[in-house]
Amino acid sequence: MKKEEILYLNLILFHAGIGFLVYLFPFISKIYGYAIFIFGIYYVIKKQNKNNEALMVAAYVVGSEVFLRMTGGNPLYEISKYGVIFFIFIGMYFSGFSKGAVPYWLFLLLLVPSVVLSTFVLDFDTNIKNAIAFNISGPVCLGVASLYTFRRRISLGEVNSILLSMGLPIVTCMVYLTFYTPNIRDVITSTQSSFETSGGFGPNQVATFLGLGMFIFFSRIILESRTTFMVIINLVIAINISYRGMVTFSRGGMITGFLMIVLLLLFLYSKSNFNGRVKLNYLILLMAFTMIIVWGYTSFQTGGLIDKRYANQDAAGRVKESKFTGREDVAQNEINTFLKNPIFGVGVGKGVEVREAETGNGTLSHDEITRMLAEHGSLGIIGLLILFFTPLFLYLENKFNMFLLCFVAFWFLTINHAAMRTAAPAFVYSLSLLNVYFKETPKKKNSTHPSTSSGLQH
């Protein structure tokens, strides 16, 4: 076994071990949570961010967020967003920010009026600081990270390392969930999202991270598995993450992860030469076969309920009236609120108060787009247009960033079903702004499974 394979296997086993230990001794989650920040600060300062270590650590913070939330390991509930901002600031200290990132300075400025407005309009008994921070921390995290990543030159290998840094804590989460719910048949009795298979935490957020993890390790099969051994490791991880994601019965995150894989394959296929496409054909067949097996096994374990879930049926096979579990009512209310307050909106955090007063429904928004409309008004529309079109313009400028469309798709689809409750959509979006270049690596004589990227046309 090669040194590279041993190191990778040890990384995987180490993170799998953390998941097992936290299941046995829950207090270890606190130690793990604090250790991430302590060692992260030490690592970035020691390296002086010479190879974008700030992004590596920020990615790790993002990947660990849901696991630490479900196990009580986070010092503060929203600390991952603040952690990303903090490490990005350290990165800026050593490496500066992108001077051309005017769109994201403008985006951050567009958030200010509604924040100021909210200090005047929020109810007297509302914790103003918490209400504002809960709703604005995600957009601010996105804006700050984008100031650092905008057109920053980085190699494809570094991007893959950043994704691996994000994926390793997801392996920890996957192992923890395996021990938390070892027998799926005992807990799945309906087609509703399952807290029992999500570590007792919100299935929507858990599935979002597992879908992202599925994409990360499938992408590593394609791009970073130069030997059969590495293919097997990454395939086993991807299979287990996919299975654990599907049994949460939360569809949004898994569908998003699957679409990201499809976008990556389409990009690679369009850019590859003949040899690259031959390799891709084999990989596509392998992954299609794998997904069929995972789906079949999940269907067997859930007694066919997973099939009904994705067909929008209840356990008796009846089609449900709503595909969005009532979230469309919240979104419609926010659109109506925007139409009544089209310029500055009602203020950050005020949307839920308005909705509760009008309808008696105090449900928090799951859709960041309609929340931006309701709480930021026309300024929110301008901000969203900046976020949507800027990476697309960058794609026309640098068409080699094979992950760009995948990252934008993850951000857009995630904020439509899970808002920006976690740091993941903000940070992943910022990665789409990187100026990725391809650095040819020397072929190894013992390599039995060359990376597909070697078949790309330059």
Side-chain angles (χ1 to χ4, degrees), residues 177-234:
L177 292 174
T178 301
F179 286 101
Y180 187 92
T181 317
N183 195 336
I184 299 299
R185 292 185 182 184
D186 291 344
V187 296
I188 297 295
T189 57
S190 71
T191 59
Q192 300 298 316
S193 296
S194 174
F195 283 81
E196 290 84 358
T197 58
S198 304
F201 194 66
N204 196 23
Q205 291 186 28
V206 175
T208 295
F209 276 71
L210 293 174
L212 178 60
M214 177 178 73
F215 166 76
I216 290 171
F217 286 97
F218 269 119
S219 73
R220 292 191 68 79
I221 295 172
I222 302 169
L223 301 169
E224 288 290 306
S225 297
R226 294 181 175 84
T227 66
T228 302
F229 180 78
M230 295 289 278
V231 171
I232 293 171
I233 292 178
N234 288 315

Short mmCIF file of all heavy atoms in Angstrom, two decimals, residues 177-234:
data_model
loop_
_atom_site.label_atom_id
_atom_site.label_comp_id
_atom_site.label_asym_id
_atom_site.label_seq_id
_atom_site.Cartn_x
_atom_site.Cartn_y
_atom_site.Cartn_z
N LEU A 177 -24.53 8.48 12.87
CA LEU A 177 -25.90 8.13 12.53
C LEU A 177 -26.08 6.61 12.42
O LEU A 177 -27.13 6.07 12.77
CB LEU A 177 -26.31 8.79 11.21
CG LEU A 177 -26.44 10.31 11.22
CD1 LEU A 177 -26.70 10.84 9.82
CD2 LEU A 177 -27.55 10.75 12.16
N THR A 178 -25.04 5.93 11.94
CA THR A 178 -25.11 4.47 11.80
C THR A 178 -25.28 3.81 13.16
O THR A 178 -26.08 2.88 13.31
CB THR A 178 -23.83 3.95 11.12
OG1 THR A 178 -23.70 4.56 9.82
CG2 THR A 178 -23.89 2.43 10.95
N PHE A 179 -24.56 4.31 14.16
CA PHE A 179 -24.69 3.74 15.51
C PHE A 179 -25.94 4.25 16.22
O PHE A 179 -26.53 3.54 17.04
CB PHE A 179 -23.44 4.05 16.33
CG PHE A 179 -22.25 3.24 15.94
CD1 PHE A 179 -21.25 3.79 15.14
CD2 PHE A 179 -22.12 1.92 16.33
CE1 PHE A 179 -20.15 3.04 14.75
CE2 PHE A 179 -21.03 1.16 15.95
CZ PHE A 179 -20.04 1.72 15.15
N TYR A 180 -26.35 5.48 15.89
CA TYR A 180 -27.54 6.07 16.53
C TYR A 180 -28.80 5.30 16.12
O TYR A 180 -29.69 5.07 16.94
CB TYR A 180 -27.66 7.53 16.11
CG TYR A 180 -28.74 8.30 16.83
CD1 TYR A 180 -28.46 8.99 18.00
CD2 TYR A 180 -30.05 8.34 16.33
CE1 TYR A 180 -29.44 9.71 18.67
CE2 TYR A 180 -31.04 9.06 16.99
CZ TYR A 180 -30.74 9.73 18.16
OH TYR A 180 -31.72 10.43 18.81
N THR A 181 -28.88 4.91 14.85
CA THR A 181 -30.04 4.15 14.35
C THR A 181 -29.54 2.95 13.56
O THR A 181 -29.53 2.97 12.32
CB THR A 181 -30.93 5.02 13.46
OG1 THR A 181 -31.10 6.31 14.04
CG2 THR A 181 -32.31 4.38 13.27
N PRO A 182 -29.12 1.90 14.23
CA PRO A 182 -28.55 0.75 13.51
C PRO A 182 -29.58 -0.04 12.71
O PRO A 182 -29.25 -0.62 11.68
CB PRO A 182 -27.94 -0.11 14.63
CG PRO A 182 -28.71 0.27 15.85
CD PRO A 182 -29.06 1.71 15.68
N ASN A 183 -30.84 -0.07 13.17
CA ASN A 183 -31.87 -0.85 12.48
C ASN A 183 -32.96 0.09 11.97
O ASN A 183 -33.82 0.54 12.72
CB ASN A 183 -32.47 -1.88 13.44
CG ASN A 183 -33.26 -2.94 12.68
OD1 ASN A 183 -33.72 -2.70 11.57
ND2 ASN A 183 -33.42 -4.11 13.29
N ILE A 184 -32.90 0.38 10.69
CA ILE A 184 -33.82 1.33 10.08
C ILE A 184 -35.26 0.82 10.14
O ILE A 184 -36.21 1.59 10.35
CB ILE A 184 -33.42 1.60 8.61
CG1 ILE A 184 -32.01 2.20 8.55
CG2 ILE A 184 -34.43 2.52 7.93
CD1 ILE A 184 -31.87 3.52 9.26
N ARG A 185 -35.47 -0.47 9.99
CA ARG A 185 -36.83 -1.02 9.94
C ARG A 185 -37.61 -0.76 11.22
O ARG A 185 -38.84 -0.69 11.20
CB ARG A 185 -36.76 -2.54 9.70
CG ARG A 185 -36.26 -2.92 8.31
CD ARG A 185 -36.35 -4.43 8.13
NE ARG A 185 -35.83 -4.84 6.83
CZ ARG A 185 -35.85 -6.09 6.40
NH1 ARG A 185 -36.36 -7.04 7.18
NH2 ARG A 185 -35.37 -6.40 5.22
N ASP A 186 -36.91 -0.61 12.33
CA ASP A 186 -37.59 -0.43 13.61
C ASP A 186 -38.20 0.96 13.77
O ASP A 186 -39.09 1.16 14.60
CB ASP A 186 -36.61 -0.67 14.77
CG ASP A 186 -36.19 -2.14 14.87
OD1 ASP A 186 -36.89 -2.98 14.28
OD2 ASP A 186 -35.18 -2.42 15.53
N VAL A 187 -37.70 1.95 12.99
CA VAL A 187 -38.12 3.33 13.24
C VAL A 187 -38.89 3.96 12.07
O VAL A 187 -39.57 4.97 12.25
CB VAL A 187 -36.90 4.23 13.57
CG1 VAL A 187 -36.24 3.77 14.86
CG2 VAL A 187 -35.89 4.24 12.43
N ILE A 188 -38.80 3.38 10.89
CA ILE A 188 -39.50 3.95 9.73
C ILE A 188 -40.89 3.35 9.63
O ILE A 188 -41.06 2.17 9.34
CB ILE A 188 -38.72 3.69 8.42
CG1 ILE A 188 -37.35 4.36 8.47
CG2 ILE A 188 -39.52 4.17 7.22
CD1 ILE A 188 -37.42 5.87 8.53
N THR A 189 -41.90 4.18 9.90
CA THR A 189 -43.29 3.71 9.84
C THR A 189 -44.16 4.57 8.94
O THR A 189 -45.34 4.27 8.73
CB THR A 189 -43.91 3.71 11.26
OG1 THR A 189 -43.82 5.04 11.81
CG2 THR A 189 -43.18 2.72 12.17
N SER A 190 -43.61 5.68 8.42
CA SER A 190 -44.38 6.56 7.55
C SER A 190 -43.45 7.16 6.51
O SER A 190 -42.27 6.84 6.45
CB SER A 190 -45.03 7.68 8.37
OG SER A 190 -44.05 8.61 8.82
N THR A 191 -44.00 8.04 5.68
CA THR A 191 -43.18 8.69 4.65
C THR A 191 -42.79 10.11 5.05
O THR A 191 -42.34 10.89 4.21
CB THR A 191 -43.94 8.72 3.31
OG1 THR A 191 -45.17 9.44 3.47
CG2 THR A 191 -44.22 7.32 2.81
N GLN A 192 -42.95 10.45 6.31
CA GLN A 192 -42.53 11.76 6.80
C GLN A 192 -41.02 11.78 7.06
O GLN A 192 -40.41 10.73 7.30
CB GLN A 192 -43.27 12.11 8.09
CG GLN A 192 -44.78 12.17 7.95
CD GLN A 192 -45.24 13.24 6.97
OE1 GLN A 192 -44.72 14.36 6.98
NE2 GLN A 192 -46.17 12.90 6.10
N SER A 193 -40.43 12.98 7.02
CA SER A 193 -39.02 13.11 7.37
C SER A 193 -38.81 12.53 8.77
O SER A 193 -39.62 12.74 9.67
CB SER A 193 -38.60 14.58 7.35
OG SER A 193 -38.70 15.09 6.04
N SER A 194 -37.70 11.81 8.94
CA SER A 194 -37.49 11.05 10.17
C SER A 194 -36.39 11.64 11.05
O SER A 194 -35.23 11.70 10.65
CB SER A 194 -37.14 9.59 9.82
OG SER A 194 -36.80 8.87 10.97
N PHE A 195 -36.78 12.05 12.26
CA PHE A 195 -35.79 12.51 13.23
C PHE A 195 -34.99 11.34 13.79
O PHE A 195 -33.84 11.49 14.18
CB PHE A 195 -36.49 13.27 14.36
CG PHE A 195 -36.90 14.67 14.00
CD1 PHE A 195 -38.06 14.91 13.29
CD2 PHE A 195 -36.10 15.74 14.36
CE1 PHE A 195 -38.43 16.21 12.95
CE2 PHE A 195 -36.45 17.05 14.02
CZ PHE A 195 -37.63 17.27 13.31
N GLU A 196 -35.62 10.16 13.84
CA GLU A 196 -34.94 8.98 14.39
C GLU A 196 -33.73 8.57 13.55
O GLU A 196 -32.74 8.07 14.08
CB GLU A 196 -35.92 7.80 14.47
CG GLU A 196 -36.99 7.95 15.54
CD GLU A 196 -38.18 8.76 15.04
OE1 GLU A 196 -38.13 9.24 13.88
OE2 GLU A 196 -39.15 8.93 15.81
N THR A 197 -33.79 8.77 12.25
CA THR A 197 -32.66 8.42 11.38
C THR A 197 -31.74 9.61 11.13
O THR A 197 -30.78 9.50 10.37
CB THR A 197 -33.16 7.87 10.04
OG1 THR A 197 -33.99 8.85 9.40
CG2 THR A 197 -33.94 6.59 10.23
N SER A 198 -32.05 10.75 11.76
CA SER A 198 -31.26 11.97 11.57
C SER A 198 -30.56 12.38 12.85
O SER A 198 -30.27 13.57 13.07
CB SER A 198 -32.16 13.11 11.08
OG SER A 198 -32.84 12.73 9.90
N GLY A 199 -30.32 11.43 13.73
CA GLY A 199 -29.62 11.73 14.98
C GLY A 199 -30.43 12.56 15.94
O GLY A 199 -29.86 13.23 16.80
N GLY A 200 -31.78 12.54 15.79
CA GLY A 200 -32.63 13.35 16.64
C GLY A 200 -32.62 14.81 16.26
O GLY A 200 -33.17 15.66 16.98
N PHE A 201 -32.01 15.14 15.13
CA PHE A 201 -31.89 16.52 14.68
C PHE A 201 -32.75 16.72 13.44
O PHE A 201 -33.36 15.79 12.92
CB PHE A 201 -30.41 16.84 14.39
CG PHE A 201 -30.11 18.29 14.23
CD1 PHE A 201 -30.23 19.16 15.30
CD2 PHE A 201 -29.69 18.79 13.02
CE1 PHE A 201 -29.93 20.51 15.16
CE2 PHE A 201 -29.39 20.13 12.86
CZ PHE A 201 -29.51 20.99 13.94
N GLY A 202 -32.82 17.97 12.93
CA GLY A 202 -33.65 18.29 11.78
C GLY A 202 -33.24 17.51 10.54
O GLY A 202 -32.12 17.68 10.04
N PRO A 203 -34.11 16.66 10.01
CA PRO A 203 -33.79 15.85 8.83
C PRO A 203 -33.40 16.69 7.62
O PRO A 203 -32.54 16.28 6.82
CB PRO A 203 -35.08 15.08 8.57
CG PRO A 203 -35.81 15.07 9.87
CD PRO A 203 -35.47 16.37 10.52
N ASN A 204 -34.00 17.88 7.49
CA ASN A 204 -33.71 18.73 6.33
C ASN A 204 -32.25 19.15 6.30
O ASN A 204 -31.57 19.06 5.27
CB ASN A 204 -34.63 19.96 6.37
CG ASN A 204 -34.68 20.67 5.03
OD1 ASN A 204 -34.42 20.09 3.99
ND2 ASN A 204 -35.03 21.94 5.06
N GLN A 205 -31.74 19.60 7.45
CA GLN A 205 -30.34 20.02 7.52
C GLN A 205 -29.40 18.83 7.40
O GLN A 205 -28.36 18.91 6.73
CB GLN A 205 -30.08 20.76 8.84
CG GLN A 205 -30.77 22.11 8.92
CD GLN A 205 -30.38 22.89 10.16
OE1 GLN A 205 -29.30 22.72 10.71
NE2 GLN A 205 -31.28 23.75 10.63
N VAL A 206 -29.74 17.72 8.03
CA VAL A 206 -28.89 16.52 7.96
C VAL A 206 -28.78 16.02 6.53
O VAL A 206 -27.70 15.72 6.04
CB VAL A 206 -29.44 15.41 8.89
CG1 VAL A 206 -28.63 14.14 8.73
CG2 VAL A 206 -29.40 15.88 10.35
N ALA A 207 -29.93 15.95 5.83
CA ALA A 207 -29.92 15.48 4.45
C ALA A 207 -29.15 16.43 3.54
O ALA A 207 -28.50 15.99 2.58
CB ALA A 207 -31.35 15.31 3.95
N THR A 208 -29.20 17.73 3.83
CA THR A 208 -28.44 18.70 3.04
C THR A 208 -26.95 18.39 3.10
O THR A 208 -26.26 18.39 2.08
CB THR A 208 -28.70 20.12 3.57
OG1 THR A 208 -30.08 20.45 3.36
CG2 THR A 208 -27.82 21.14 2.86
N PHE A 209 -26.45 18.10 4.31
CA PHE A 209 -25.02 17.81 4.47
C PHE A 209 -24.66 16.44 3.90
O PHE A 209 -23.59 16.28 3.29
CB PHE A 209 -24.63 17.91 5.94
CG PHE A 209 -24.32 19.31 6.36
CD1 PHE A 209 -25.33 20.25 6.48
CD2 PHE A 209 -23.03 19.72 6.62
CE1 PHE A 209 -25.07 21.56 6.85
CE2 PHE A 209 -22.74 21.03 6.99
CZ PHE A 209 -23.77 21.95 7.11
N LEU A 210 -25.52 15.47 4.09
CA LEU A 210 -25.23 14.15 3.54
C LEU A 210 -25.27 14.17 2.02
O LEU A 210 -24.47 13.49 1.36
CB LEU A 210 -26.22 13.12 4.09
CG LEU A 210 -26.09 12.85 5.60
CD1 LEU A 210 -27.21 11.94 6.08
CD2 LEU A 210 -24.74 12.22 5.94
N GLY A 211 -26.19 14.96 1.44
CA GLY A 211 -26.20 15.11 -0.02
C GLY A 211 -24.93 15.76 -0.52
O GLY A 211 -24.37 15.37 -1.55
N LEU A 212 -24.43 16.77 0.22
CA LEU A 212 -23.16 17.40 -0.13
C LEU A 212 -22.02 16.41 0.00
O LEU A 212 -21.13 16.35 -0.86
CB LEU A 212 -22.93 18.61 0.78
CG LEU A 212 -21.62 19.38 0.59
CD1 LEU A 212 -21.51 19.93 -0.82
CD2 LEU A 212 -21.52 20.52 1.62
N GLY A 213 -22.03 15.61 1.07
CA GLY A 213 -21.00 14.59 1.25
C GLY A 213 -21.02 13.55 0.14
O GLY A 213 -19.97 13.09 -0.33
N MET A 214 -22.21 13.15 -0.28
CA MET A 214 -22.35 12.21 -1.40
C MET A 214 -21.66 12.77 -2.64
O MET A 214 -20.90 12.07 -3.32
CB MET A 214 -23.83 11.97 -1.68
CG MET A 214 -24.12 11.06 -2.85
SD MET A 214 -25.90 10.78 -3.08
CE MET A 214 -26.40 12.40 -3.76
N PHE A 215 -21.90 14.04 -2.93
CA PHE A 215 -21.26 14.67 -4.09
C PHE A 215 -19.74 14.70 -3.93
O PHE A 215 -19.00 14.39 -4.88
CB PHE A 215 -21.79 16.09 -4.27
CG PHE A 215 -20.95 16.92 -5.21
CD1 PHE A 215 -21.05 16.72 -6.58
CD2 PHE A 215 -20.07 17.87 -4.73
CE1 PHE A 215 -20.27 17.47 -7.46
CE2 PHE A 215 -19.29 18.62 -5.60
CZ PHE A 215 -19.39 18.42 -6.97
N ILE A 216 -19.27 15.09 -2.75
CA ILE A 216 -17.82 15.22 -2.53
C ILE A 216 -17.11 13.90 -2.80
O ILE A 216 -16.09 13.86 -3.51
CB ILE A 216 -17.54 15.71 -1.10
CG1 ILE A 216 -17.96 17.18 -0.95
CG2 ILE A 216 -16.05 15.54 -0.74
CD1 ILE A 216 -17.92 17.70 0.48
N PHE A 217 -17.64 12.80 -2.28
CA PHE A 217 -16.91 11.53 -2.42
C PHE A 217 -17.14 10.88 -3.77
O PHE A 217 -16.26 10.15 -4.26
CB PHE A 217 -17.24 10.61 -1.25
CG PHE A 217 -16.59 11.05 0.03
CD1 PHE A 217 -17.26 11.80 0.97
CD2 PHE A 217 -15.25 10.75 0.25
CE1 PHE A 217 -16.63 12.25 2.12
CE2 PHE A 217 -14.60 11.19 1.41
CZ PHE A 217 -15.30 11.94 2.34
N PHE A 218 -18.25 11.14 -4.42
CA PHE A 218 -18.39 10.69 -5.81
C PHE A 218 -17.44 11.48 -6.70
O PHE A 218 -16.86 10.93 -7.64
CB PHE A 218 -19.84 10.85 -6.29
CG PHE A 218 -20.68 9.62 -6.08
CD1 PHE A 218 -21.81 9.66 -5.28
CD2 PHE A 218 -20.34 8.40 -6.67
CE1 PHE A 218 -22.59 8.53 -5.07
CE2 PHE A 218 -21.10 7.26 -6.47
CZ PHE A 218 -22.23 7.33 -5.67
N SER A 219 -17.27 12.78 -6.41
CA SER A 219 -16.33 13.58 -7.21
C SER A 219 -14.90 13.09 -7.00
O SER A 219 -14.08 13.15 -7.93
CB SER A 219 -16.45 15.06 -6.86
OG SER A 219 -15.88 15.35 -5.59
N ARG A 220 -14.61 12.60 -5.81
CA ARG A 220 -13.26 12.08 -5.56
C ARG A 220 -13.02 10.77 -6.31
O ARG A 220 -11.89 10.47 -6.69
CB ARG A 220 -13.03 11.89 -4.05
CG ARG A 220 -12.96 13.20 -3.29
CD ARG A 220 -12.47 13.00 -1.87
NE ARG A 220 -11.06 12.60 -1.85
CZ ARG A 220 -10.04 13.42 -2.01
NH1 ARG A 220 -10.24 14.70 -2.22
NH2 ARG A 220 -8.80 12.97 -1.96
N ILE A 221 -14.07 10.00 -6.53
CA ILE A 221 -13.93 8.79 -7.36
C ILE A 221 -13.49 9.19 -8.76
O ILE A 221 -12.62 8.55 -9.37
CB ILE A 221 -15.26 8.01 -7.42
CG1 ILE A 221 -15.64 7.47 -6.04
CG2 ILE A 221 -15.17 6.86 -8.43
CD1 ILE A 221 -17.02 6.86 -5.98
N ILE A 222 -14.05 10.27 -9.26
CA ILE A 222 -13.76 10.70 -10.63
C ILE A 222 -12.41 11.40 -10.73
O ILE A 222 -11.63 11.13 -11.66
CB ILE A 222 -14.86 11.67 -11.12
CG1 ILE A 222 -16.23 11.01 -11.05
CG2 ILE A 222 -14.59 12.13 -12.55
CD1 ILE A 222 -17.40 11.96 -11.24
N LEU A 223 -12.09 12.26 -9.78
CA LEU A 223 -10.96 13.17 -9.93
C LEU A 223 -9.74 12.84 -9.09
O LEU A 223 -8.63 13.22 -9.44
CB LEU A 223 -11.41 14.60 -9.58
CG LEU A 223 -12.56 15.17 -10.42
CD1 LEU A 223 -13.06 16.46 -9.79
CD2 LEU A 223 -12.11 15.40 -11.85
N GLU A 224 -9.92 12.13 -7.97
CA GLU A 224 -8.82 11.97 -7.03
C GLU A 224 -8.53 10.51 -6.69
O GLU A 224 -7.87 10.24 -5.68
CB GLU A 224 -9.12 12.73 -5.74
CG GLU A 224 -9.03 14.25 -5.89
CD GLU A 224 -7.59 14.71 -6.09
OE1 GLU A 224 -6.73 14.38 -5.26
OE2 GLU A 224 -7.34 15.40 -7.10
N SER A 225 -9.04 9.58 -7.47
CA SER A 225 -8.81 8.15 -7.17
C SER A 225 -7.92 7.56 -8.26
O SER A 225 -8.40 7.10 -9.29
CB SER A 225 -10.14 7.40 -7.10
OG SER A 225 -10.94 7.88 -6.05
N ARG A 226 -6.63 7.60 -8.01
CA ARG A 226 -5.67 7.16 -9.01
C ARG A 226 -5.31 5.68 -8.91
O ARG A 226 -4.54 5.18 -9.70
CB ARG A 226 -4.41 8.02 -8.93
CG ARG A 226 -4.66 9.47 -9.30
CD ARG A 226 -3.41 10.32 -9.25
NE ARG A 226 -3.68 11.67 -9.72
CZ ARG A 226 -4.18 12.65 -8.98
NH1 ARG A 226 -4.46 12.42 -7.71
NH2 ARG A 226 -4.42 13.84 -9.48
N THR A 227 -5.85 5.02 -7.91
CA THR A 227 -5.63 3.58 -7.78
C THR A 227 -6.96 2.91 -7.47
O THR A 227 -7.91 3.56 -7.01
CB THR A 227 -4.64 3.25 -6.64
OG1 THR A 227 -5.23 3.62 -5.40
CG2 THR A 227 -3.31 3.99 -6.83
N THR A 228 -7.03 1.62 -7.70
CA THR A 228 -8.25 0.87 -7.43
C THR A 228 -8.59 0.93 -5.94
O THR A 228 -9.77 1.01 -5.56
CB THR A 228 -8.07 -0.60 -7.85
OG1 THR A 228 -7.74 -0.64 -9.24
CG2 THR A 228 -9.35 -1.40 -7.62
N PHE A 229 -7.58 0.92 -5.09
CA PHE A 229 -7.81 0.99 -3.65
C PHE A 229 -8.52 2.28 -3.28
O PHE A 229 -9.46 2.28 -2.47
CB PHE A 229 -6.46 0.90 -2.92
CG PHE A 229 -6.57 0.96 -1.42
CD1 PHE A 229 -6.97 -0.15 -0.70
CD2 PHE A 229 -6.30 2.14 -0.74
CE1 PHE A 229 -7.08 -0.10 0.69
CE2 PHE A 229 -6.40 2.20 0.65
CZ PHE A 229 -6.80 1.08 1.35
N MET A 230 -8.08 3.42 -3.89
CA MET A 230 -8.71 4.70 -3.59
C MET A 230 -10.15 4.73 -4.11
O MET A 230 -11.04 5.31 -3.48
CB MET A 230 -7.90 5.82 -4.22
CG MET A 230 -6.51 5.98 -3.63
SD MET A 230 -6.53 6.65 -1.95
CE MET A 230 -6.68 8.39 -2.29
N VAL A 231 -10.39 4.11 -5.26
CA VAL A 231 -11.76 4.03 -5.79
C VAL A 231 -12.66 3.30 -4.81
O VAL A 231 -13.79 3.74 -4.51
CB VAL A 231 -11.77 3.30 -7.15
CG1 VAL A 231 -13.22 3.03 -7.59
CG2 VAL A 231 -11.07 4.12 -8.21
N ILE A 232 -12.17 2.19 -4.28
CA ILE A 232 -12.97 1.38 -3.35
C ILE A 232 -13.29 2.15 -2.08
O ILE A 232 -14.44 2.16 -1.62
CB ILE A 232 -12.24 0.06 -3.02
CG1 ILE A 232 -12.15 -0.82 -4.27
CG2 ILE A 232 -12.95 -0.68 -1.89
CD1 ILE A 232 -11.27 -2.04 -4.11
N ILE A 233 -12.29 2.83 -1.51
CA ILE A 233 -12.53 3.61 -0.29
C ILE A 233 -13.60 4.67 -0.52
O ILE A 233 -14.57 4.79 0.23
CB ILE A 233 -11.22 4.29 0.19
CG1 ILE A 233 -10.22 3.25 0.68
CG2 ILE A 233 -11.53 5.27 1.33
CD1 ILE A 233 -8.90 3.84 1.11
N ASN A 234 -13.41 5.46 -1.58
CA ASN A 234 -14.35 6.54 -1.85
C ASN A 234 -15.74 6.03 -2.21
O ASN A 234 -16.75 6.63 -1.86
CB ASN A 234 -13.81 7.44 -2.97
CG ASN A 234 -12.64 8.29 -2.51
OD1 ASN A 234 -12.68 8.89 -1.44
ND2 ASN A 234 -11.60 8.35 -3.31
#
